[in-house]
Structures are given as C-alpha cells and as structure tokens.
Amino acid sequence: MIALLIVVVLLAVLLQYLTRRRGLQGLEATLSFSAPLVEPGAQFDLILHLTNHSPAFFPFLRVVVRLPGSLAVDAPSGQLRPDNRGGQYLSVTTWLSPRQRLDQRVSLSADRRGRYLVHGLTVYCGDFLGLSEEQQSYDQFLEVVVLPKEAPAEDLGQLSGGFPGDLSVNRFLYEDPVLTVGYRDYTGREPMKMLSWTQMARTGKLMVKQYDYTLETSITVVLNVACQAEEPEPLMEACYSLARTLCSQLEEQGIRYAFQTNAITAGDFASWQSVSEGLGQRHLLYILEGLGRGLYQPTCSCEALLERAVRSSDGTHGLLFLTPERDPEALRLAALWADRAGVGLWTLIGEEATL
C-alpha cells in the first residue's frame, strides 16, 4: 500500500514537472464569427478554435476574450464579468488531449446596428496540481457588422408617395420590336427583317416598321447624414433603415440602382460612399454592409453630395433623396440639382419616419 502511494506521488510530481516545463508550447488558439453580417437581434456564434499540436496533455485551460459591452452573450453569469472600459470579459474553461482540436461556440446577439470588434484572446494554462498558472496572449483582429433594421413597408409608401411604383427616365436605349408606332420609307440601311410586307402591298413601295423606344428605369439612392438636430441619432437610424428597405425593394423589382452618401464609415470602407449602378445580391450586400458600418458624421456638405450624385449619374437616373430632417435648404438643393439634371426626384425624411 505504501509502495503504491509512493508511485502515485512520484507520478504526480513527474506530471507536475512536465506541465510546468512545457507551458503552452504547441497550443494554437484563434477566434472566428459564424457570419460577417448579421441581422439585428439575430443570434450568431463566436467560435473558439483550440488545437493541441503537441503530444502533451493540457489538464486545465482557461480562455478569456474581451467583448463589447453592447453584445448580449448567451453564457452562464459566472463566465461573464464587466471591465472598467465599458466592455465585458468572457471566460471559458476546458482541457485538451494530445493532438486534439476543439471548436467551442458561444451564442451572441446585438440589437443595435454597427460594427463590433474583438481584439484577440488570452489563454491561461494550469499545472497538473493546480498550484500555478501560465498565460499567453494571441493577437487577432475580428469584426462583425450588424445591419440596420428594415423600415416598415407601409410607412415607406406613405413617406415616398407610393414609391416604388412605375418609374421612367428619359433615356433612349434601344428600339423595342414589340412596340410598333408607325411606318416609313425604306432607305436601304435597314435590315430586311424590318420590312413590312403588308404596307408594301398596300402602298406599292418599300416600307419599314418604325418602333418605339424602351426606356431604362434606374435610380440613384442618395443618403445625406448632415444634420443640425439636437438629437440626431434616432433620425439617422431611421435614414439607415429607409435606405436598406429602398435598396432591397429596388433589388426585388429588378430596378438598377446606384448609391451615394456623405456618411463616414467604421473601418476601411470608404469606397462605399460612391457605389456605381448595379443589380444582384452581391451589389445589395455591399451597400447593406456600408449601411451597417455607417456613422453619424458627414464627409462633405449636402450640396456637395448632391452635386456628386448628379455628376456620377450622367443625367440618366432618378434621384431618391434620403435626409434625416426636414431642412428647407437641403430640400431646395435636391430639387435644384434634380431640375438641372432633368431627372425625377423622390424625397424621404427620417424625421417623419420616427413620428
């Protein structure tokens, strides 16, 4: 019995020595989000990836991640603690066998639109007897963007006077062979398929069909964030929601659209301030990501934004102008630039959407 006890003690001392000697050698720790873009209030996962590349056994690991305080974390209260900078610490404990890989998920959610950052993690390793602890930090930049909420469709229709409905832009694109509006003499330059045999038989001379032109429907969504209100935040949020809903509806109706804004974005996303005309899920998601990253500060005045929007549209797009408050000067400028370009103008005001 004494011999067995001595063997156990010696084995414990050996394991204690080995765990303290190796420390965190051979351990790899990274983080990832389950999705880069998420809906407000929807759950998404923070995934902890732990890989033991060594033949050693890690009997106790504690992983600590600092998260933004505005993120809701689905974890026991004992795993969360606040910090003095407005954030919170998430602590996860586990163990790893030799050559083992472990992926552990923690559910998160956020009600507010915006960009949320995580700057790495710290791993603490306990020895076999639990007498001491070593730590190692792993630097990593991680972000997730929460999109703006959808604006109610009925409110959108009331604010915009029924948009989106039948739109037209005075731009001749191509002759539509279905829309025949008359006939004219053959000049020798028209293809044979344009000849009208019935009119030739009636008049006794060569006649060709004259077609109407199909008009292209295209829109430039212009989001202005220059605001003088004392509490601009709810007005801005209403504008971001309206912009998201408008772009989604244009996408559903197959109407090509461009996007212009003077909003500063969080992160390296400045090219989003001027998005050329397009259509498709990739085009929409790029604009929606920018709406999630958008801040409340403008890069330029409302007039400069409208001038850029009209110049980039080449006078062929209707203007859909979103602005946070009913500012007579901003509305006058929008009408002036639309009139100069000879295009239609629709105006939506965030202040009226919050009433």
Side-chain angles (χ1 to χ4, degrees):
M1 187 67 181
I2 296 177
L4 178 60
L5 181 60
I6 293 174
V7 171
V8 171
V9 171
L10 291 176
L11 182 61
V13 171
L14 177 62
L15 292 175
Q16 173 75 358
Y17 170 75
L18 291 176
T19 54
R20 292 195 62 180
R21 181 184 176 185
R22 291 193 59 87
L24 287 162
Q25 294 180 22
L27 181 68
E28 179 184 354
T30 58
L31 294 170
S32 67
F33 284 122
S34 57
L37 303 176
V38 297
E39 295 288 344
Q43 284 198 336
F44 60 99
D45 291 337
L46 174 68
I47 309 173
L48 169 63
H49 308 278
L50 292 174
T51 305
N52 182 7
H53 296 286
S54 73
F57 172 68
F58 290 101
F60 175 80
L61 293 173
R62 181 166 60 93
V63 182
V64 178
V65 184
R66 185 179 183 275
L67 299 173
S70 51
L71 281 178
V73 184
D74 185 11
S77 58
Q79 294 184 2
L80 293 173
R81 61 181 176 88
D83 69 359
N84 55 9
R85 293 177 292 173
Q88 55 186 332
Y89 287 106
L90 170 67
S91 179
V92 178
T93 59
T94 186
W95 55 271
L96 277 180
S97 300
R99 312 296 182 185
Q100 181 185 3
R101 175 183 171 88
L102 175 66
D103 292 339
Q104 191 159 346
R105 293 174 176 261
V106 178
S107 293
L108 310 174
S109 63
D111 291 330
R112 291 179 57 84
R113 176 191 66 86
R115 173 185 182 232
Y116 296 84
L117 301 178
V118 176
H119 296 283
L121 68 160
T122 302
V123 179
Y124 298 85
C125 173
D127 57 30
F128 182 75
L129 298 178
L131 300 178
S132 63
E133 192 175 60
E134 293 188 27
Q135 72 177 66
Q136 181 174 335
S137 296
Y138 297 82
D139 294 329
Q140 184 182 0
F141 179 81
L142 199 63
E143 66 176 2
V144 63
V145 176
V146 178
L147 302 178
K149 296 179 180 179
E150 289 267 13
E154 58 273 14
D155 293 347
L156 185 62
Q158 294 173 2
L159 290 170
S160 60
F163 181 86
D166 295 330
L167 307 176
S168 65
V169 179
N170 295 324
R171 179 186 181 189
F172 291 158
L173 287 184
Y174 53 85
E175 290 183 317
D176 192 333
V178 178
L179 303 177
T180 303
V181 295
Y183 305 91
R184 56 180 172 81
D185 292 337
Y186 177 65
T187 64
R189 295 188 298 271
E190 295 84 355
M192 294 294 294
K193 64 181 181 179
M194 292 182 63
L195 291 172
S196 173
W197 301 104
T198 56
Q199 293 299 317
M200 289 165 55
R202 181 179 301 174
T203 62
K205 58 181 180 179
L206 295 176
M207 300 290 291
V208 294
K209 299 175 183 178
Q210 185 174 355
Y211 300 125
D212 195 6
Y213 288 90
T214 295
L215 304 180
E216 180 187 44
T217 298
S218 52
I219 289 292
T220 297
V221 178
V222 183
L223 173 61
N224 170 48
V225 300
C227 182
Q228 303 298 324
E230 294 183 1
E231 297 183 4
E233 183 173 329
L235 309 184
M236 299 288 191
E237 288 301 322
C239 281
Y240 281 118
S241 293
L242 289 171
R244 174 186 178 170
T245 304
L246 282 169
C247 292
S248 298
Q249 290 193 2
L250 290 170
E251 189 70 38
E252 291 174 1
Q253 296 190 18
I255 300 173
R256 298 179 65 84
Y257 56 100
F259 183 83
Q260 297 284 339
T261 185
N262 57 357
I264 296 177
T265 57
D268 187 14
F269 215 68
S271 61
W272 165 79
Q273 294 170 357
S274 182
V275 182
S276 58
E277 179 185 306
L279 197 64
Q281 194 67 14
R282 184 176 180 180
H283 180 69
L284 175 63
L285 287 177
Y286 183 73
I287 294 177
L288 294 189
E289 181 177 352
L291 292 174
R293 293 174 178 268
L295 303 177
Y296 301 147
Q297 295 79 27
T299 60
C300 63
S301 66
C302 178
E303 182 176 12
L305 168 65
L306 289 165
E307 181 181 3
R308 186 182 75 201
V310 170
R311 185 174 63 249
S312 65
S313 70
D314 195 25
T316 59
H317 293 59
L319 293 182
L320 212 163
F321 181 56
L322 293 93
T323 189
E325 57 186 344
R326 182 169 284 281
D327 181 0
E329 180 62 16
L331 299 179
R332 185 190 69 82
L333 289 171
L336 176 64
W337 281 107
D339 183 64
R340 287 180 181 177
V343 297
L345 173 68
W346 294 265
T347 302
L348 284 84
I349 301 173
E351 183 179 17
E352 297 178 1
T354 60
L355 297 179

